[in-house]
Amino acid sequence: MKIHNPIAFTPTPVTVITSLVYIALLAALLVVHTVVPSAPKSSTPISGVNLTEAWLDLRILTEAYRPYNSRQNDHIRDWLLRRIETIIAENNAAPPTTSDPSSDLASTSSADSPAVVFSDITSNLTFSSEREKPGAGISIYFEGTNIIVYIRGSEDEKGEWWTKKSIPQGKGGVLVNAHYDSVSTGYGATDDGVGVISILQLIKHFTSTGKQPKKGIVALLNNGEEDFLNGARAFTQHPMSQFAHTFLNLEGAGAGGRAALFRSTDTEVTKAYQTVRYPFGDCASGDAFSRGVIRSETDYVIFNGLLGLRGLDVAFTEPRARYHTDEDDTKHTSVDSLWHMLSAALATVQALTSDTSSQFDGEPSGRGKVPSGKGTTGVWFSFFGEKFAVFRLHTLFALSVTLLVVAPLVLIVLAIILTRVDKNYLFSSSKHHHHPEGDDTVPLKGLRGIARYPLIFVSATAAVIALAFMLESLNPYIVYSSPYAVWSMMLSAWLFVAWAVTRSADWLRPTALHRAYALLWMFAAGWVVLIVITVFEQKTKIAGDYFMIFYFAAIAVATSISFFELFGLQNKSQYADDFATHDFSTAVDSRPRSASSSRILDPEPDETLEDAPERPAGNEGEEDADETTSLLRKGRQSTFARRTSPHSHRENQDPVKKKRNRVYGFEQDWSWSLPSWTWLLQFLIVAPIPVILVGQVGLLFMSGIHQTLGDGNDVLPVYLGAAVFSILILAPLGPFLHRYTFHIPTFLFLIFAGTLIYNVIAFPFSGNNRLKLYFMQNVDLDTGISRVSLTGVGDPYMSETIASLPSSAGQEPSCVPSILRKGLTECSWNGLAPAVVKSPHPDIPPLYNYADWLTYHVFRAPNSTEARIRLWGRNTRACKIQFNRPISDFHVDGAGDDKRFKRVSEDGSKEIRLWSRTWEKEWTVHVKWEIGEDGARGMDGRVVCLWSDDNETGTIPALDEVRHFAPEWVAIAKLGDGLVEGSKAFLV
């Protein structure tokens, strides 16, 4: 019994090995991406950390909505202060000290207390928003209620240095931040409850005996992140904001899973994340945030942009459908997710506080910023959630340039050497043979298949690109709930089309150089792409395309192996001699034997009738098909492996004839000595590492943006992105597909057919992947008109949702493009009256008390362009003033003044937002404006107050109605700062 070579370049080994490798790689990638590492069984896995306690704290924190403008927010703030004091007291760190920054920041603690707690109820800030486009901006006045805990480092300056006006001495500490407010429509378990609880455990750990850090830690629990990053901005007014040089921001841009490192300021600070046990993240996500692919921001931009700190953004990034909804709760997260963020934060902070070098010291990057120096742009990515790589972008640029130069030179040198030793069969159509009787031209057919791979690649790529456009047209939101169905369709379509075209071309014109030419084409295309990437690395500092450098390097090595393979062939002159010496014209079909016309089963010229196998008529008596049998034609092999036909094993057979029997099928005769195992080496070089790197980025890409369609993002880029990543994942199979059996492609065709049908006809949303609709209710307190609005992706989903609401019966909703949410549609109708302000008597409907909800007075001297506006609202601490034309300046009584921040943008402001830490506060606002183009000196607009507290049923009946009657595939999120906005007009 003959033992077949298990790694020969024949259909069965190629199909089995490549399929198993791909299945293993893709399965591992999916597991890493979707499964969170288990938390330790012990409740105290690390000294000073208690997981059971942390989980219980998270449940308390998330028992109700806690937006800044809610009573629950105050309750949670008091609870956090008590928890911090209890933690410090239990650790005997010092008598817990709550230091109010008023009264010159005095503290009653000892001069060297290990921990100091600041309950900041004095910081306030006036600033103007930065607009992407020219035009009037928005101005904000905000009063902070942050909680700040300073954990003294062993190398920190002694005493109460924060009472001084100068910059703290030493190498700077580490800021770790989370916000304790939530949106008004979500419980905030991961946005940002897990971050808050992680900080409580960090305080517990670093105040434990023997755990004092070398560099001090500032643990910031800020309030007001959800409304304009207001809490972090208020922190800039506290002395502690000048102490830290590095930071770690803990956030939630999704609602569970793994906590990913998705943004970093530089290489040096990112290295602190290398100590994390289960790292997860990719620098490509930072590029996506910086270019607005994901429409949300975090406190990272304040700490880095305004304070000049260098640091990291770690956040939950999926599923985004639960982000800012009532499913961001403890039921939809886990202890595993809590531990993943907590352990990552602990390891990162430990690394940052232990670094006493001067790499985070240097000149400040701007006025009012800390002297943290300047880092280098970094490239970083996790590898299977176990390892973490980080290096400078400059290193990647150098590698790119090196590859651009060296890789082609290596191939050119190899080609020259092959030519000199007369073994370069590439691009060789024939060889001149000289003999006494004259000169002959011996066909080499080395050009066969030279243009095949572009046809294969273009055909398969066109198929998946066409599918992207088809889904955008027929069922654009299916990827929202079924990203893996889209992935499956794209991957199966590309591979099946590529295989079908490859096998058809190989049947028509078989060639032993298919692998070499395919890799050469991939090399050429990759080289061009690498030029573009290198330019972008230098010009735009984009690091997220790093995987293409490794991809190209793998292709270059695999291509060079194809050149080295040719050294195993006999030289072309020797082949021509053998070709001329042996008579190939005695074959059964009387045709001269060539690589394209000979058949392994034909009898040899010197076979006797007894030796020759019987040739029955038709197909009778043909041998059963095996891995050497052509898929499309009986009796033809389909590889150039070193194999011998069953009837040719004879000891007295001519050596040349033995060589001919080792030629695969109808491929060129000279290919008999090509190694049969090098294909496996090429595959293992060109496939695993590129597939892992591309697959990781592809999964992060899809999970990060496939549900941002509900935020108004364009649909087509999502599908085109899936198509591009599918192509990059499967392209390494291209050089080997001509050896594939039909089994896997046929199976994939069935997958393609099934997923295609599903993707076209399935409903795109579900109870587990709900479509977010954004709620707001506007009440005209002058007229009593109450309009409820939902903003979302539009019909048919919007109309179906509104039609399910009893209050909308008999009304025709007014639908217009949304101003607040670009790309979405806002539909409004007359809704149920809100009860955010209690009536003096339970029998009096709320609408009869609208006038009392908001009170204002406007004072303006005759012919002046200045006014003083006094306003206050009942049961609220957030109001705003809207102007019909821009104001040039304003000032709020009692506000501080920070020259780093402009109160009004260069084009003026058309809105002033006012946030108070006390309820029903009266604001006095002084405003100035320019004379209008028509000479008008007056000003008009609206005074508005906001209500965001929906913790009691019946407070906002319209919202209760939507939650109760909307389809199960609808989730409700807030549209603006307030769930209810009541307004009155003014004219001065």
Side-chain angles (χ1 to χ4, degrees), residues 3 14 90 118 126 169 202 240 424 457 470 482 494 516 561 734 786-787 862 919 924 933 969:
I3 300 177
V14 171
E90 289 176 348
F118 297 92
T126 304
Q169 297 179 5
L202 290 179
M240 281 292 166
N424 191 358
F457 186 84
M470 182 199 69
S482 306
W494 194 94
I561 292 175
S786 175
R787 298 286 290 179
W919 292 91
T924 300
E933 295 180 357
W969 45 266

Side-chain angles (χ1 to χ4, degrees), residues 435-456:
H435 56 89
E437 299 177 2
D439 292 339
D440 288 332
T441 299
V442 176
L444 299 178
K445 302 187 183 300
L447 289 174
R448 178 171 292 180
I450 188 174
R452 179 178 302 173
Y453 191 74
L455 173 65
I456 297 167

Side-chain angles (χ1 to χ4, degrees), residues 61-80:
L61 180 66
T62 59
E63 62 186 5
Y65 308 131
R66 53 184 192 282
Y68 181 91
N69 190 20
S70 70
R71 305 285 179 173
Q72 180 68 11
N73 184 274
D74 290 340
H75 171 71
I76 288 298
R77 186 177 191 278
D78 294 339
W79 174 79
L80 286 171

Side-chain angles (χ1 to χ4, degrees), residues 452 502-510 630-633 636:
R452 179 178 302 173
T502 301
R503 292 297 291 118
S504 299
D506 188 64
W507 182 78
L508 291 172
R509 294 176 63 81
S630 170
L631 300 176
L632 301 175
R633 181 173 176 182
R636 289 177 57 181

Side-chain angles (χ1 to χ4, degrees), residues 751-943:
I751 292 178
F752 163 70
T755 53
L756 175 64
I757 294 171
Y758 173 85
N759 289 331
V760 170
I761 68 174
F763 190 72
F765 309 109
S766 66
N768 288 327
N769 297 277
R770 300 184 299 171
L771 170 65
K772 275 192 287 190
L773 298 180
Y774 299 92
F775 175 92
M776 179 176 283
Q777 185 166 14
N778 291 279
V779 181
D780 188 324
L781 300 178
D782 293 324
T783 64
I785 297 175
S786 175
R787 298 286 290 179
V788 175
S789 69
L790 288 177
T791 300
V793 296
D795 286 337
Y797 317 109
M798 184 71 75
S799 58
E800 182 177 345
T801 301
I802 295 175
S804 68
L805 307 178
S807 67
S808 69
Q811 299 188 57
E812 184 66 31
S814 172
C815 296
V816 296
S818 174
I819 297 176
L820 296 178
R821 290 271 181 178
K822 181 182 178 182
L824 298 180
T825 300
E826 180 179 345
C827 294
S828 62
W829 66 98
N830 292 328
L832 303 174
V836 293
V837 177
K838 292 184 179 180
S839 298
H841 192 279
D843 295 332
I844 300 177
L847 60 90
Y848 291 107
N849 296 286
Y850 280 166
D852 297 333
W853 287 16
L854 167 61
T855 302
Y856 76 94
H857 301 285
V858 182
F859 307 93
R860 169 176 170 259
N863 297 320
S864 73
T865 55
E866 300 182 15
R868 184 175 78 254
I869 304 175
R870 294 174 54 210
L871 72 152
W872 65 94
R874 294 183 58 191
N875 196 34
T876 186
R877 55 182 180 186
C879 293
K880 57 186 178 181
I881 308 171
Q882 297 172 334
F883 305 93
N884 288 333
R885 56 193 180 90
I887 62 171
S888 58
D889 196 11
F890 81 102
H891 176 71
V892 178
D893 281 359
D897 186 23
D898 190 331
K899 301 299 183 182
R900 294 176 296 174
F901 304 100
K902 295 181 179 179
R903 293 194 294 258
V904 176
S905 65
E906 294 182 358
D907 296 316
S909 292
K910 296 186 71 174
E911 183 175 305
I912 300 173
R913 299 179 182 179
L914 305 166
W915 300 87
S916 170
R917 65 176 62 90
T918 57
W919 292 91
E920 300 185 0
K921 174 181 178 175
E922 177 180 320
W923 287 282
T924 300
V925 184
H926 305 265
V927 298
K928 298 180 180 180
W929 61 88
E930 304 295 334
I931 298 175
E933 295 180 357
D934 57 356
R937 293 179 175 270
M939 175 64 74
D940 61 335
R942 301 192 72 83
V943 177

Side-chain angles (χ1 to χ4, degrees), residues 173-246:
V174 178
L175 168 69
V176 57
N177 170 76
H179 64 90
Y180 67 85
D181 63 309
S182 74
V183 293
S184 51
T185 53
Y187 296 104
T190 57
D191 182 27
D192 190 18
V194 174
V196 171
I197 301 306
S198 294
I199 289 182
L200 291 182
Q201 290 299 310
L202 290 179
I203 295 172
K204 184 181 182 73
H205 175 77
F206 285 107
T207 57
S208 298
T209 303
K211 298 298 182 181
Q212 183 182 15
K214 290 183 179 181
K215 293 163 62 174
I217 298 172
V218 177
L220 170 62
L221 299 176
N222 82 74
N223 189 20
E225 188 270 354
E226 297 291 359
D227 298 310
F228 219 78
L229 311 180
N230 290 335
R233 294 177 190 271
F235 175 67
T236 65
Q237 304 303 293
H238 195 280
M240 281 292 166
S241 66
Q242 298 298 307
F243 170 69
H245 287 187
T246 59

Side-chain angles (χ1 to χ4, degrees), residues 688-755:
I689 298 301
V691 168
I692 292 170
L693 296 181
V694 173
Q696 290 181 157
V697 177
L699 288 170
L700 283 172
F701 163 83
M702 183 63 82
S703 64
I705 73 168
H706 77 102
Q707 290 184 333
T708 63
L709 303 183
D711 301 332
N713 281 9
D714 293 335
V715 172
L716 185 59
V718 179
Y719 292 112
L720 291 178
V724 169
F725 281 110
S726 297
I727 294 165
L728 291 175
I729 289 171
L730 292 178
L733 279 176
F736 313 97
L737 282 179
H738 64 304
R739 288 293 192 268
Y740 251 51
T741 66
F742 68 91
H743 305 87
I744 297 297
T746 302
F747 176 70
L748 290 176
F749 177 77
L750 296 177
I751 292 178
F752 163 70
T755 53

